[in-house]
Amino acid sequence: MRSVRNILSVSFGYVAAIIGAGFASGQEILSFFVKYGRCSIVGIIIACAVFSAFAYVVLSTCIDKKIHKYTDFLDTCFKSGTRKIIELMTLFFAMSSVCVMTACAGEMGTAIFGLKRISGACIFVLICGIIFLPGSKKVMKVNSLLGAVIVFGMVFCCFYILRFREHQVFKNTAQMTVSGTVYAGYNLITAGAILSGMSRFLKDKRETALTAISSGFIIFLLITLIWTLIGTYYGKINLGEIPMLTVACRQNSLLGVLYGVMLFLAVLTTGISNGFSVIDISTGKIGRYRTVFVMLFCALCMSGTGFSRLINTAYRLCGYVGIVFVFAVIVMTIKKTNKEVKKRKYEY
């Protein structure tokens, strides 16, 4: 029973790292999948396969090497020069994510409370500042619990809307795309740090495999539900900057509030986890307080660019770079594993 609980805990913690404002709002699913019609289900399957494979590689390596830090994991895969490039890449993506979360908070403030976008963004930046400045990471311990809440809440909302949807026809466009791979790429740039830290809860490769499979299935379920729902309304109504919130509010105000809560939790968990990544990388260079100030000031300024525009530019750019990193990790890990296996056989 404890084994099952640990597997689910790691799975939901990993999923919580993947689900951010772009995912929960539906904007990512719209940009990377829905636009390409029915054939984009292939991209969804590819993305989820990459999520599962990356989780298995990172977790199994950490268990084999008895390490729980992402820096130690990178040391097993790359040389020091390559590691510095990966560190800069991680910093860029983590900073981009904080900017996107801030932009989403501004859009939510407008959609739910009628505030100006800058007001919603300022409130979010203030909350983040209160969390970041003391330097305590205890808030990160609730990631798995919040991940489970977000998943079940989103699944309920999606099924409810699909049951009472207004439109019946899904947009059909026979156009293939590599968006699924790119989508997985940028989401996994910082996910390795979370997987490394949670590997301590798993005992062996069997539990690692089950965690990777269950994580991939949960992500596949969520993406497919949102993909189906947004595809139903795409081209028929104005979905706005936050498609899922727009659709939820069309059903009734209570469902709109419920989904708004799920979206806020997703924004907060992703913003905090990526914010701490920026702080960890930059504090030694410019100091904690200066890092927090620069990060939140940049996020506030960039939020004016627009939520969907940031996703379609910063995230897509990170995706192309990130997928190279993900496949490099997988290939290097497989090579090292095979080399160690041959070495053991030679010794015997």
Side-chain angles (χ1 to χ4, degrees):
M1 189 66 185
R2 185 176 181 179
S3 175
V4 174
R5 188 167 63 248
N6 287 340
I7 290 170
L8 290 176
S9 177
V10 176
S11 295
F12 281 120
Y14 179 41
V15 172
I18 301 299
I19 298 175
F23 187 115
S25 69
Q27 188 59 246
E28 282 181 357
I29 314 302
L30 174 61
S31 299
F32 286 89
F33 302 111
V34 175
K35 287 182 177 179
Y36 303 102
R38 288 186 185 277
C39 288
S40 59
I41 189 67
V42 176
I44 294 175
I45 294 171
I46 292 172
C48 293
V50 174
F51 283 132
S52 291
F54 186 77
Y56 179 76
V57 166
V58 175
L59 290 171
S60 60
T61 301
C62 289
I63 290 172
D64 281 345
K65 304 291 184 182
K66 294 180 173 56
I67 55 178
H68 306 298
K69 291 183 179 180
Y70 193 45
T71 52
D72 294 336
F73 169 77
L74 292 176
D75 283 336
T76 66
C77 299
F78 304 103
K79 296 179 180 179
S80 59
T82 308
R83 274 197 62 247
K84 289 180 180 178
I85 295 174
I86 293 172
E87 189 178 82
L88 288 173
M89 184 172 65
T90 303
L91 176 63
F92 176 75
F93 174 72
M95 188 66 218
S96 298
S97 290
V98 175
C99 293
V100 172
M101 298 308 118
T102 306
C104 185
E107 295 292 345
M108 286 180 64
T110 301
I112 299 175
F113 302 107
L115 300 173
K116 291 183 178 180
R117 288 186 179 86
I118 188 64
S119 299
C122 284
I123 293 171
F124 180 75
V125 164
L126 180 62
I127 293 172
C128 288
I130 293 171
I131 294 170
F132 292 144
L133 286 174
S136 174
K137 293 188 180 181
K138 291 182 179 179
V139 68
M140 295 290 285
K141 294 181 180 179
V142 300
N143 240 28
S144 296
L145 177 61
L146 289 178
V149 171
I150 293 167
V151 168
F152 287 115
M154 286 175 63
V155 168
F156 169 79
C157 290
C158 286
F159 273 120
Y160 181 91
I161 298 170
L162 286 170
R163 172 68 179 81
F164 298 102
R165 65 188 183 277
E166 305 159 67
H167 301 282
Q168 303 295 325
V169 183
F170 189 90
K171 179 179 172 62
N172 183 20
T173 306
Q175 182 179 357
M176 297 299 292
T177 179
V178 295
S179 280
T181 312
V182 174
Y183 174 72
Y186 74 77
N187 273 288
L188 291 175
I189 292 176
T190 55
I194 293 162
L195 287 169
S196 301
M198 294 189 296
S199 64
R200 70 186 74 230
F201 299 114
L202 303 176
K203 294 187 298 184
D204 50 41
K205 288 193 175 183
R206 175 182 168 276
E207 291 189 0
T208 296
L210 290 172
T211 300
I213 293 169
S214 61
S215 300
F217 174 76
I218 292 170
I219 296 169
F220 177 77
L221 175 64
L222 287 174
I223 294 179
T224 304
L225 284 172
I226 296 174
W227 174 76
T228 304
L229 186 57
I230 294 178
T232 302
Y233 286 88
Y234 183 59
K236 299 178 178 67
I237 65 171
N238 180 10
L239 291 168
E241 289 284 295
I242 311 178
M244 283 299 296
L245 188 60
T246 299
V247 174
C249 290
R250 284 177 68 91
Q251 302 301 312
N252 55 67
S253 57
L254 181 60
L255 190 69
V257 170
L258 177 61
Y259 201 86
V261 171
M262 297 302 106
L263 182 56
F264 176 75
L265 291 177
V267 170
L268 192 61
T269 54
T270 305
I272 289 171
S273 60
N274 282 282
F276 273 120
S277 293
V278 174
I279 292 169
D280 286 343
I281 295 171
S282 303
T283 294
K285 299 175 177 65
I286 63 174
R288 166 174 290 277
Y289 294 108
R290 192 175 296 176
T291 297
V292 172
F293 174 78
V294 171
M295 174 179 63
L296 296 181
F297 178 75
C298 289
L300 192 61
C301 293
M302 290 299 295
S303 66
T305 305
F307 180 48
S308 59
R309 186 174 296 177
L310 281 173
I311 285 178
N312 277 295
T313 52
Y315 270 16
R316 197 170 288 274
L317 175 62
C318 288
Y320 289 115
V321 177
I323 200 59
V324 175
F325 159 69
V326 170
F327 281 114
V329 167
I330 293 174
V331 170
M332 292 299 293
T333 303
I334 292 173
K335 280 186 177 180
K336 283 186 176 290
T337 302
N338 290 337
K339 189 175 180 180
E340 289 175 2
V341 169
K342 288 180 181 178
K343 186 178 179 181
R344 286 174 195 154
K345 285 183 179 180
Y346 180 77
E347 288 175 351
Y348 285 115

